[in-house]
Amino acid sequence: MSDFEAAGSLFSFDEEADAYTAVVNGVEFLCDDVEEGYDEEARRMAELYPEKLPEILDFLIPQMQPIYGALDRAALPEQLGPPTIHLDTFQIQYLSQSLDEHILEFEYTGDFEEFSYFNIDG
């Protein structure tokens, strides 16, 4: 445990995930090592996520329709479930989405300014 973590970081080590995790406003964050500024970044990203969700859906729906068919935009946030944001790799994953058993993931830049590389894993 680093001095930063001992000083009251939001993050704690999760042995199952083999990563440091934090949950802020229902958004889970993961990182390999807790870097200075990650607490503030997690708080900021958790606050931004609901605001940027329409743009995230604008990106996801065209990527998902060839696989899942017509999607109900209003129902999709609930179907996706809570996001898991990897601060080290700039990825957002939906680990418990209810459309099927796969993990949905994509990359983001900055404060959710752009999205790319949609992938279905599992």
Side-chain angles (χ1 to χ4, degrees), residues 51-85:
E51 179 182 318
K52 294 289 189 169
L53 188 56
E55 294 170 47
I56 291 170
L57 295 177
D58 288 344
F59 169 74
L60 287 176
I61 289 172
Q63 306 289 324
M64 295 172 64
Q65 281 181 329
I67 297 123
Y68 296 104
L71 296 166
D72 180 348
R73 183 182 180 92
L76 191 55
E78 186 174 323
Q79 291 171 323
L80 291 172
T84 298
I85 299 176

Coordinates of all heavy atoms in Angstrom, one line a residue, residues 51-85:
E51 N -23.9 13.0 -17.4 CA -24.0 14.1 -18.4 C -23.6 13.7 -19.8 O -24.1 14.2 -20.8 CB -23.0 15.2 -17.9 CG -23.0 16.5 -18.7 CD -22.0 17.5 -18.1 OE1 -21.9 17.7 -16.9 OE2 -21.2 18.1 -18.9
K52 N -22.6 12.9 -19.9 CA -22.1 12.4 -21.2 C -22.8 11.2 -21.7 O -22.5 10.7 -22.8 CB -20.6 12.1 -21.1 CG -19.7 13.4 -20.8 CD -19.7 14.3 -22.0 CE -18.7 15.4 -21.9 NZ -18.5 16.1 -23.1
L53 N -23.7 10.6 -20.9 CA -24.3 9.4 -21.3 C -25.0 9.5 -22.7 O -25.0 8.6 -23.5 CB -25.3 8.9 -20.3 CG -25.9 7.5 -20.5 CD1 -24.9 6.4 -20.7 CD2 -26.9 7.2 -19.3
P54 N -25.7 10.6 -23.0 CA -26.3 10.7 -24.4 C -25.3 10.6 -25.5 O -25.5 9.9 -26.5 CB -27.0 12.1 -24.4 CG -27.3 12.3 -22.9 CD -26.1 11.7 -22.2
E55 N -24.1 11.1 -25.3 CA -23.0 11.0 -26.3 C -22.5 9.6 -26.3 O -22.1 9.1 -27.4 CB -21.9 12.0 -26.0 CG -22.4 13.4 -26.2 CD -21.3 14.4 -25.7 OE1 -20.1 14.3 -26.0 OE2 -21.7 15.3 -24.9
I56 N -22.4 8.9 -25.2 CA -22.0 7.5 -25.1 C -23.0 6.7 -25.9 O -22.6 5.8 -26.7 CB -21.8 7.1 -23.7 CG1 -20.6 7.8 -23.1 CG2 -21.7 5.6 -23.6 CD1 -20.5 7.6 -21.6
L57 N -24.3 6.9 -25.7 CA -25.3 6.2 -26.4 C -25.2 6.4 -27.9 O -25.4 5.5 -28.7 CB -26.7 6.5 -25.9 CG -26.9 6.0 -24.4 CD1 -28.3 6.5 -24.0 CD2 -26.7 4.6 -24.2
D58 N -25.0 7.7 -28.3 CA -24.8 8.0 -29.7 C -23.7 7.2 -30.4 O -23.8 6.8 -31.5 CB -24.5 9.5 -29.9 CG -25.7 10.4 -29.6 OD1 -26.8 9.9 -29.6 OD2 -25.4 11.6 -29.5
F59 N -22.6 6.9 -29.6 CA -21.5 6.1 -30.1 C -21.9 4.6 -30.1 O -21.6 3.9 -31.1 CB -20.3 6.3 -29.2 CG -19.2 5.3 -29.5 CD1 -18.4 5.4 -30.7 CD2 -18.9 4.3 -28.6 CE1 -17.4 4.5 -31.0 CE2 -17.9 3.4 -28.9 CZ -17.2 3.5 -30.1
L60 N -22.5 4.2 -29.0 CA -22.7 2.7 -28.8 C -23.8 2.2 -29.7 O -23.7 1.1 -30.3 CB -23.1 2.4 -27.4 CG -22.0 2.5 -26.4 CD1 -22.6 2.2 -25.0 CD2 -20.9 1.4 -26.7
I61 N -24.9 2.9 -29.9 CA -26.1 2.3 -30.6 C -25.7 1.9 -32.0 O -26.0 0.7 -32.4 CB -27.3 3.3 -30.5 CG1 -27.8 3.3 -29.1 CG2 -28.4 2.9 -31.6 CD1 -28.9 4.3 -28.8
P62 N -25.0 2.7 -32.8 CA -24.7 2.2 -34.2 C -23.7 1.0 -34.2 O -23.7 0.2 -35.1 CB -24.0 3.4 -34.9 CG -24.4 4.6 -34.1 CD -24.7 4.1 -32.7
Q63 N -22.9 0.9 -33.1 CA -21.9 -0.2 -33.0 C -22.7 -1.5 -32.6 O -22.3 -2.6 -33.0 CB -20.9 0.1 -31.9 CG -20.1 1.4 -32.1 CD -19.2 1.4 -33.3 OE1 -18.6 0.3 -33.5 NE2 -19.0 2.4 -34.0
M64 N -23.7 -1.3 -31.8 CA -24.4 -2.5 -31.2 C -25.5 -3.0 -32.1 O -25.8 -4.2 -32.0 CB -24.9 -2.1 -29.8 CG -23.9 -1.8 -28.8 SD -24.5 -1.2 -27.2 CE -25.5 -2.6 -26.7
Q65 N -26.1 -2.2 -32.9 CA -27.3 -2.6 -33.7 C -27.0 -3.8 -34.6 O -27.9 -4.6 -34.7 CB -27.9 -1.4 -34.4 CG -28.7 -0.6 -33.5 CD -29.4 0.6 -34.2 OE1 -28.9 1.2 -35.1 NE2 -30.5 1.0 -33.7
P66 N -25.9 -3.8 -35.3 CA -25.7 -5.0 -36.1 C -25.7 -6.3 -35.4 O -26.0 -7.4 -35.9 CB -24.3 -4.8 -36.8 CG -24.1 -3.3 -36.7 CD -24.8 -2.9 -35.4
I67 N -25.4 -6.3 -34.1 CA -25.4 -7.5 -33.3 C -26.7 -7.7 -32.5 O -27.2 -8.8 -32.5 CB -24.2 -7.4 -32.3 CG1 -22.9 -7.4 -33.0 CG2 -24.2 -8.6 -31.3 CD1 -22.0 -6.2 -32.7
Y68 N -27.2 -6.7 -32.0 CA -28.4 -6.8 -31.1 C -29.7 -6.4 -31.7 O -30.7 -6.5 -31.1 CB -28.2 -6.0 -29.8 CG -27.0 -6.5 -29.0 CD1 -25.8 -5.8 -29.0 CD2 -27.1 -7.6 -28.2 CE1 -24.7 -6.3 -28.2 CE2 -26.1 -8.1 -27.5 CZ -24.9 -7.4 -27.5 OH -23.8 -7.9 -26.7
G69 N -29.6 -5.9 -33.0 CA -30.8 -5.4 -33.6 C -31.3 -4.0 -33.1 O -30.5 -3.3 -32.5
A70 N -32.6 -3.7 -33.3 CA -33.1 -2.5 -32.8 C -33.0 -2.4 -31.3 O -33.3 -3.3 -30.6 CB -34.5 -2.3 -33.2
L71 N -32.5 -1.2 -30.8 CA -32.3 -1.0 -29.4 C -33.2 0.2 -28.9 O -33.3 1.2 -29.7 CB -30.8 -0.7 -29.1 CG -29.8 -1.8 -29.4 CD1 -28.4 -1.2 -29.4 CD2 -30.0 -2.9 -28.4
D72 N -33.7 0.0 -27.8 CA -34.6 1.1 -27.2 C -33.6 2.0 -26.4 O -33.1 1.7 -25.4 CB -35.6 0.5 -26.2 CG -36.5 1.5 -25.6 OD1 -36.2 2.7 -25.7 OD2 -37.5 1.1 -25.0
R73 N -33.4 3.2 -27.0 CA -32.5 4.2 -26.4 C -32.8 4.5 -25.0 O -31.9 4.6 -24.1 CB -32.4 5.5 -27.3 CG -31.4 6.5 -26.8 CD -31.5 7.8 -27.7 NE -30.5 8.7 -27.2 CZ -29.3 8.8 -27.6 NH1 -28.9 8.0 -28.6 NH2 -28.5 9.7 -27.1
A74 N -34.1 4.6 -24.7 CA -34.5 5.0 -23.3 C -34.2 3.8 -22.3 O -33.9 4.1 -21.2 CB -36.0 5.3 -23.3
A75 N -34.3 2.6 -22.8 CA -34.0 1.4 -21.9 C -32.6 1.0 -21.8 O -32.2 0.3 -20.9 CB -34.9 0.2 -22.4
L76 N -31.8 1.5 -22.8 CA -30.4 1.0 -22.9 C -29.5 1.3 -21.7 O -28.8 0.4 -21.3 CB -29.8 1.5 -24.2 CG -28.4 0.9 -24.6 CD1 -28.5 -0.6 -24.7 CD2 -27.9 1.5 -25.9
P77 N -29.6 2.5 -21.1 CA -28.7 2.7 -19.9 C -29.0 1.7 -18.8 O -28.0 1.2 -18.2 CB -29.1 4.1 -19.5 CG -29.6 4.8 -20.7 CD -30.3 3.7 -21.5
E78 N -30.2 1.3 -18.6 CA -30.5 0.3 -17.6 C -30.0 -1.1 -18.0 O -29.5 -1.8 -17.2 CB -32.0 0.3 -17.3 CG -32.4 -0.7 -16.1 CD -33.8 -0.6 -15.7 OE1 -34.4 0.5 -15.8 OE2 -34.4 -1.6 -15.4
Q79 N -30.2 -1.4 -19.3 CA -29.7 -2.7 -19.8 C -28.2 -2.8 -19.7 O -27.6 -3.8 -19.5 CB -30.1 -2.8 -21.3 CG -31.6 -3.0 -21.4 CD -32.1 -3.0 -22.8 OE1 -31.6 -2.2 -23.6 NE2 -33.1 -3.8 -23.1
L80 N -27.5 -1.6 -19.9 CA -26.0 -1.7 -19.9 C -25.5 -1.9 -18.4 O -24.5 -2.5 -18.2 CB -25.4 -0.3 -20.4 CG -25.6 -0.1 -21.9 CD1 -25.1 1.3 -22.3 CD2 -24.8 -1.2 -22.7
G81 N -26.3 -1.4 -17.5 CA -25.9 -1.5 -16.1 C -24.8 -0.5 -15.7 O -24.5 0.4 -16.6
P82 N -24.2 -0.6 -14.6 CA -23.2 0.4 -14.2 C -21.9 0.2 -15.0 O -21.5 -0.9 -15.3 CB -23.0 0.1 -12.7 CG -23.4 -1.3 -12.5 CD -24.5 -1.6 -13.5
P83 N -21.3 1.3 -15.3 CA -20.0 1.2 -16.0 C -18.8 0.9 -15.1 O -18.9 1.3 -13.9 CB -19.9 2.6 -16.6 CG -20.5 3.5 -15.6 CD -21.7 2.7 -15.1
T84 N -17.8 0.3 -15.6 CA -16.5 0.1 -15.0 C -15.5 0.9 -15.8 O -15.4 0.6 -17.0 CB -16.1 -1.3 -14.9 OG1 -17.1 -2.0 -14.1 CG2 -14.8 -1.5 -14.2
I85 N -14.9 1.9 -15.2 CA -13.9 2.7 -16.0 C -12.5 2.4 -15.5 O -12.2 2.5 -14.3 CB -14.3 4.2 -15.7 CG1 -15.7 4.5 -16.2 CG2 -13.2 5.1 -16.4 CD1 -16.2 5.9 -16.0

